[in-house]
């Protein structure tokens, strides 16, 4: 079932995982997801995140496959405790999933509803920091395909990499990522990303014209 969507053991797919916060508002976060067979998904989530708290409380989530680079950046850089006045997604951008207590993204080309099976916490050490994370296993309840397959786009790939780097406090490759997105995304998509990053202070505002 999920192998037809590109999931396979050892292959990490970048998805947007959606859950409900304690107040009922939707939460969206870019997370790498892999498969353990056709019925079980695995993800590694930091324990200080809304996604972790929501999964343990609501026992379900939706894994959204989406090709919107703006949503990857927005989900990574905004939300509870991460600054920015704008939520990751608004209520008009999601709908209630049918088999789990979680929303799915209306823009998703495909989405998987999944129920929490187990979680195991561990201490994560990498070149950026030491932190507590959790290996989370979820059972696939239902997979829905809404859109047609889309070809690879370098702009999307660079948006994902930029989201990862910025959440780790790194900006040294930002100019390169922005350059590729400007060349490979529609102008309105690139402009939306540029305005968003400027609103968070990642890009300096242009000075007055001479």
């Amino acid at each position: 079932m999920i192998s037809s969507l590109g999931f396979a053991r050892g292959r990490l797919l970048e998805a947007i995982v959606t859950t409900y916060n304690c107040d009922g508002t939707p939460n969206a976060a870019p997370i790498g997801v892999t498969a353990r067979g056709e019925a079980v998904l695995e993800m590694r989530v930091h324990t200080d995140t809304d996604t972790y708290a929501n999964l343990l409380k609501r026992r379900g989530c939706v894994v959204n496959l989406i090709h919107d680079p703006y949503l990857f950046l927005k989900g990574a850089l905004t939300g509870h405790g991460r600054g920015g006045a704008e939520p990751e997604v608004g209520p008009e951008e999601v709908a209630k999933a049918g088999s789990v207590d979680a929303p799915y993204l209306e823009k998703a080309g495909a989405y998987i509803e999944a129920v929490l099976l187990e979680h195991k916490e561990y201490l994560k050490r990498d070149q950026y920091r030491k932190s507590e994370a959790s290996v989370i296993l979820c059972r696939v309840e239902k997979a829905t395909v809404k859109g047609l397959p889309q070809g690879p786009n370098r702009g999307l790939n660079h948006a994902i990499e930029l989201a990862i780097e910025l959440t780790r406090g790194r900006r040294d490759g930002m100019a390169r990522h922005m350059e590729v997105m400007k060349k490979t995304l529609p102008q309105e998509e690139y402009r939306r990303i540029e305005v968003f990053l400027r609103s968070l202070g990642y890009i300096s505002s242009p000075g007055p014209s001479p």
Side-chain angles (χ1 to χ4, degrees):
M1 178 169 57
I2 61 174
S3 59
S4 64
L5 299 176
F7 286 94
R9 186 180 292 272
R11 178 186 292 165
L12 189 71
L13 298 187
E14 298 298 333
I16 296 183
V17 176
T18 45
T19 54
Y20 281 125
N21 294 316
C22 60
D23 60 2
T25 57
N27 177 270
I31 295 175
V33 183
T34 190
R36 291 192 180 184
E38 283 290 325
V40 177
L41 295 174
E42 176 185 325
M43 62 188 83
R44 294 172 186 261
V45 179
H46 284 97
T47 59
D48 61 352
T49 61
D50 293 327
T51 299
Y52 176 79
N54 296 344
L55 261 170
L56 266 58
K57 179 178 177 60
R58 306 249 181 189
R59 315 299 292 184
C61 67
V62 177
V63 176
N64 300 267
L65 301 182
I66 197 160
H67 290 81
D68 186 338
Y70 172 75
L71 281 180
F72 273 97
L73 284 162
K74 187 178 177 185
L77 301 176
T78 59
H80 290 179
R82 282 177 288 175
E86 197 174 8
E88 304 99 331
V89 288
E92 74 283 354
E93 297 176 280
V94 300
K96 176 74 169 65
S99 59
V100 296
D101 187 14
Y104 67 86
L105 292 172
E106 291 278 20
K107 284 188 175 181
Y111 62 91
I112 301 167
E113 300 170 39
V115 172
L116 178 65
L117 281 177
E118 61 181 83
H119 57 96
K120 183 178 181 180
E121 285 64 47
Y122 68 100
L123 191 62
K124 179 180 178 181
R125 292 184 178 90
D126 57 28
Q127 60 182 317
Y128 304 105
R129 60 173 175 162
K130 180 171 66 175
S131 57
E132 188 173 283
S134 179
V135 178
I136 292 177
L137 300 182
C138 292
R139 183 183 70 248
V140 174
E141 291 291 298
K142 181 182 179 182
T144 301
V145 178
K146 297 176 60 184
L148 295 174
Q150 297 189 32
N153 173 263
R154 289 177 65 207
L156 173 62
N157 295 337
H158 278 262
I160 293 170
E161 289 301 317
L162 179 58
I164 293 170
E165 291 185 11
L166 290 179
T167 57
R168 292 172 174 173
R170 298 182 58 186
R171 302 192 188 190
D172 48 304
M174 187 165 179
R176 172 60 177 159
H177 293 308
M178 296 298 292
E179 178 186 4
V180 174
M181 285 191 286
K182 188 173 184 178
K183 289 181 178 179
T184 58
L185 294 175
Q187 183 177 359
E188 62 273 15
E189 283 190 34
Y190 174 78
R191 176 62 179 160
R192 192 181 188 199
I193 290 169
E194 186 181 46
V195 169
F196 169 67
L197 292 175
R198 182 171 288 121
S199 73
L200 296 181
Y202 290 107
I203 298 176
S204 300
S205 297
S209 302

